[in-house]
Amino acid sequence: MELFALEHKRLWRKTIVRICVVLCFVYSVIWGSVIWYQWPGFGSLNDSTDMYDNNFDGYYTIRDFQEQFSQFGDHWTDETLQKMVAEYQSYDVMDIPGLQSKGDWLLAYSYLRDLYPELEDPEGHQYMPLLHYADTSKIEGFYERRQDLLEHTLEATRLNGYLTEADKQMLLDMNSQIEEPWKYEWTRGWQDVINDLPSAGAKLAPYLAVVLAFTFSGEWYSNTAPLLHTTKHGWKKLAWIKVLSGLAFAAEFYALIFGAKVVVQLIYFGTSGWDMPIQYSNLLAVAPWNMLQAELFDLAFVFLGVIGYAGLIMLISALVKNNVLSLVISLAFIYVPDILAGYLPTWLKAASQYLPLVGNGTDYLHYNVFHIFGKGIWSPYMLISVPIIIGVICLPFAVKGWSRRQKA
């Protein structure tokens, strides 16, 4: 334990480690959360339509929208959508841009477009969005229409070969567990949260790579192999200490960045709306989850991905003597799958999504199913388990790989 504490303290004392932590905190928390919520993301509009010309008043704008949309009731019904459309149509057209960008008007428009196509009037309003002129008296049967559209979409997906009949039934069974009517509050904030967290995880990758890519390759660079052979602890114990120290750093790094992001989220959005269903982010999502459950999944997805990626980096470091090459290969596992996505076979593209910090953490909004020995497994279950399995498998091979080079 004492040796681990010394190694872990040595890691944190490195200048490059401290620089990476500070830079990531500034980029992900200060800019990616505080300034984003306060300024371009939720700041009120002035005369410009550029979000970077917004006013620096996001905190108060969020409170205004939470209060404004509370008037439509605490559950989503036909009447909710009718009232929302009617109020939108009562505004002067010059007020619309600001209302659309941060209110739930865009949500109302997407629901009208997807569920009430018969309300379109191409002859008289071909240049106007449906939200401007839809007859509110004809907006009825929201949940029945959604169910019909969902079944039609899943059947089309099955016919295109992406789902089996068993997959389709599995997804419909999940959908049947969604409680109706849906709980409703202003959704824009929670939509931003659950879509931001998974992508924020990938932003940790370069910093983790810079810190951990030299875990073992750095020993060759500094020519410390002879010293390791003479120490009383031996290379194998030291290797495990370095691996555990790297994992501990990855967990602490994650806790620092995402703990701070959650605190900022609570300051700006509070806890209201946590029990709204994720169907506000995707009308046809089938997962019977609320926003809090989705956020917890996102946080778990990133954490397990970070640990898995840390294990992968240290394996690469153990197999490669050159520091630069170790870093380049570590980064390639994150960026190359996206770069080559358009050129890879479908099966290989799908498999690459299960690499640590590569996949889409919001896959619970979609219908992807992975098949193992003919058994369909909902993709989010794979996304949250495979990366950590990869990382854990890498650890003993990292120690063993380094030992071969030491003996050589």
Side-chain angles (χ1 to χ4, degrees):
M1 193 63 187
E2 181 181 356
L3 188 59
F4 169 81
L6 290 172
E7 174 64 24
H8 195 54
K9 186 181 295 184
R10 185 176 75 89
L11 177 62
W12 271 101
R13 283 179 174 174
K14 291 181 179 180
T15 302
I16 188 64
V17 172
R18 295 182 177 183
I19 291 175
C20 284
V21 171
V22 170
L23 287 177
C24 187
F25 189 88
V26 170
Y27 177 63
S28 297
V29 179
I30 304 302
W31 166 254
S33 290
V34 178
I35 295 179
W36 175 260
Y37 292 156
Q38 187 67 17
W39 179 28
F42 293 94
S44 60
L45 292 179
N46 52 30
D47 294 335
S48 173
T49 57
D50 186 345
M51 67 180 180
Y52 291 102
D53 285 333
N54 288 356
N55 298 310
F56 200 76
D57 59 355
Y59 180 86
Y60 299 104
T61 302
I62 289 170
R63 295 295 178 276
D64 289 342
F65 276 107
Q66 287 176 332
E67 181 178 355
Q68 178 181 2
F69 284 88
S70 65
Q71 67 175 302
F72 297 114
D74 57 2
H75 286 86
W76 187 271
T77 63
D78 292 345
E79 291 73 21
T80 305
L81 184 55
Q82 291 169 3
K83 291 178 181 177
M84 196 175 291
V85 173
E87 176 157 329
Y88 183 88
Q89 293 174 355
S90 71
Y91 288 108
D92 185 282
V93 69
M94 298 305 294
D95 295 330
I96 297 305
L99 293 170
Q100 280 185 324
S101 62
K102 300 175 185 65
D104 280 349
W105 310 113
L106 192 59
L107 180 73
Y109 169 68
S110 67
Y111 286 176
L112 286 179
R113 179 198 60 206
D114 295 338
L115 300 182
Y116 302 90
E118 75 277 6
L119 298 183
E120 291 278 5
D121 182 11
E123 294 184 2
H125 304 89
Q126 61 266 40
Y127 300 114
M128 295 179 65
L130 179 59
L131 194 61
H132 286 258
Y133 62 84
D135 185 349
T136 56
S137 65
K138 297 180 180 180
I139 301 176
E140 296 178 336
F142 175 86
Y143 293 106
E144 292 79 5
R145 287 171 177 259
R146 175 189 174 274
Q147 182 68 26
D148 291 342
L149 180 60
L150 174 62
E151 292 178 1
H152 174 78
T153 302
L154 290 178
E155 178 62 16
T157 306
R158 186 191 68 81
L159 293 175
N160 287 329
Y162 295 106
L163 295 174
T164 66
E165 184 64 36
D167 295 337
K168 173 186 170 183
Q169 189 57 51
M170 175 184 69
L171 296 173
L172 287 173
D173 289 343
M174 292 174 60
N175 179 74
S176 66
Q177 300 175 40
I178 300 173
E179 295 183 5
E180 299 175 358
W182 302 342
K183 182 77 174 180
Y184 174 72
E185 294 183 43
W186 177 64
T187 68
R188 176 69 166 78
W190 275 101
Q191 289 185 46
D192 188 273
V193 167
I194 66 173
N195 284 289
D196 168 68
L197 289 179
S199 60
K203 295 171 185 175
L204 266 63
Y207 304 99
L208 281 171
V210 170
V211 171
L212 298 179
F214 312 139
T215 301
F216 294 112
S217 62
E219 303 294 352
W220 291 99
Y221 181 79
S222 58
N223 198 28
T224 58
L227 178 61
L228 293 175
H229 281 298
T230 61
T231 181
K232 65 178 181 178
H233 297 292
W235 61 263
K236 190 170 185 179
K237 183 174 181 179
L238 286 175
W240 276 111
I241 291 297
K242 293 173 78 66
V243 163
L244 294 176
S245 176
L247 292 179
F249 169 80
E252 292 160 357
F253 188 35
Y254 164 86
L256 174 65
I257 300 301
F258 281 84
K261 288 179 74 69
V262 170
V263 169
V264 174
Q265 171 199 330
L266 291 173
I267 292 173
Y268 276 86
F269 299 123
T271 59
S272 62
W274 66 268
D275 52 351
M276 293 188 299
I278 61 172
Q279 282 65 34
Y280 290 120
S281 291
N282 181 354
L283 173 65
L284 300 183
V286 297
W289 293 359
N290 59 40
M291 295 294 187
L292 179 59
Q293 290 171 317
E295 180 175 11
L296 292 176
F297 178 90
D298 288 344
L299 292 172
F301 165 78
V302 175
F303 175 72
L304 296 176
V306 163
I307 298 301
Y309 186 56
L312 184 60
I313 295 172
M314 289 187 282
L315 173 60
I316 295 168
S317 180
L319 299 178
V320 179
K321 289 185 177 182
N322 185 279
N323 280 341
V324 175
L325 184 58
S326 176
L327 176 60
V328 169
I329 295 175
S330 298
L331 292 174
F333 273 94
I334 294 295
Y335 298 111
V336 169
D338 283 340
I339 295 173
L340 299 180
Y343 307 96
L344 297 175
T346 301
W347 68 269
L348 185 56
K349 179 180 177 181
S352 69
Q353 296 302 299
Y354 299 108
L355 290 171
L357 297 180
V358 173
N360 183 359
T362 58
D363 214 30
Y364 49 79
L365 297 174
H366 308 291
Y367 317 123
N368 297 321
V369 178
F370 195 87
H371 294 91
I372 300 180
F373 303 117
K375 175 68 174 178
I377 302 176
W378 191 40
S379 179
Y381 296 146
M382 299 285 290
L383 285 171
I384 205 171
S385 58
V386 173
I388 187 65
I389 293 173
I390 291 174
V392 170
I393 291 174
C394 285
L395 299 182
F397 286 100
V399 173
K400 188 174 182 179
W402 195 50
S403 71
R404 285 205 202 98
R405 291 187 177 276
Q406 289 288 353
K407 291 176 182 178

